[in-house]
Amino acid sequence: MTLKTSIKGFWGEKLVQVGAALTLPSSKYRRYHNVTLPTAGDTTQIDHVFVSAFGVFVVETKNMSGWIFGRERDPEWTQVFRSGSKYTFQNPLRQNHRHVLALEEALRGIGIPRGVVRSVVVFVGSAELKRDMPENVTVGMGGSRYIRSFKDHVLSEAKVAAICELIESQRLKPSWKTHRQHIRNVKRGSASVVRSCPHCGQQLVLRTSQKGKWAGKRFWVCETYPTCRMIERCE
């Protein structure tokens, strides 16, 4: 990751942070920004987490311009400029799915209902989505509108408080040191062997069991779980 990319990402996150402060009232939504959670020998860095009685929203921001082409299950999407220049980048839905899985794993002991941790992708800048996208892929203030569209209470006040307490206690202190360490982890991970699911072909993710007789043991799970339920224990 270059310095220019880091700065663009920083300002993209700040724009979403300001927008959330204006449109998601603190009386209903607890807002967490730049959340780095430890995982098994690694870290996961989440741009924004909004906790409410309506669900837990995990937000990935992209500060980009140009036309954005991509489908939900494509490994990579394409950024196209009017000049004709094209660049590919990782599908942010896949990227954010890993963040959702990491947060769900951290919250496993609380016993929250399945599906209340929801993924949201927000493009800021002058990006224009050129293909039909899922409703959780948004531009600008569309992210806040999507979050506010959830009206049903799925979490009690006690659950919301427990989730906030866990995030506050487990997140690493936001700092440049924490960010640099996360970038080193990402680079180390990108150099490692990537395994594909033998059932559906998607990427396998290495996890650690948190409870039961396999507590502390590592296992491979399909990144689309529970859509694909492929699980393989490490020897």
Side-chain angles (χ1 to χ4, degrees), residues 85-104:
S85 300
K86 298 181 180 180
Y87 302 92
T88 58
F89 60 100
Q90 184 182 11
N91 180 343
L93 286 171
R94 293 173 64 124
Q95 182 180 2
N96 207 36
H97 181 68
R98 298 187 184 96
H99 298 160
V100 169
L101 290 178
L103 186 56
E104 285 180 333

Side-chain angles (χ1 to χ4, degrees), residues 20-63:
L22 295 173
T23 59
L24 299 175
S26 58
S27 60
K28 294 183 178 180
Y29 301 89
R30 293 288 298 273
R31 304 187 291 261
Y32 297 96
H33 309 290
N34 190 22
V35 177
T36 303
L37 296 174
T39 58
D42 209 338
T43 53
T44 292
Q45 194 171 76
I46 305 172
D47 292 342
H48 312 277
V49 180
F50 302 106
V51 184
S52 72
F54 315 111
V56 181
F57 301 91
V58 176
V59 179
E60 171 70 18
T61 60
K62 293 295 180 186
N63 187 2

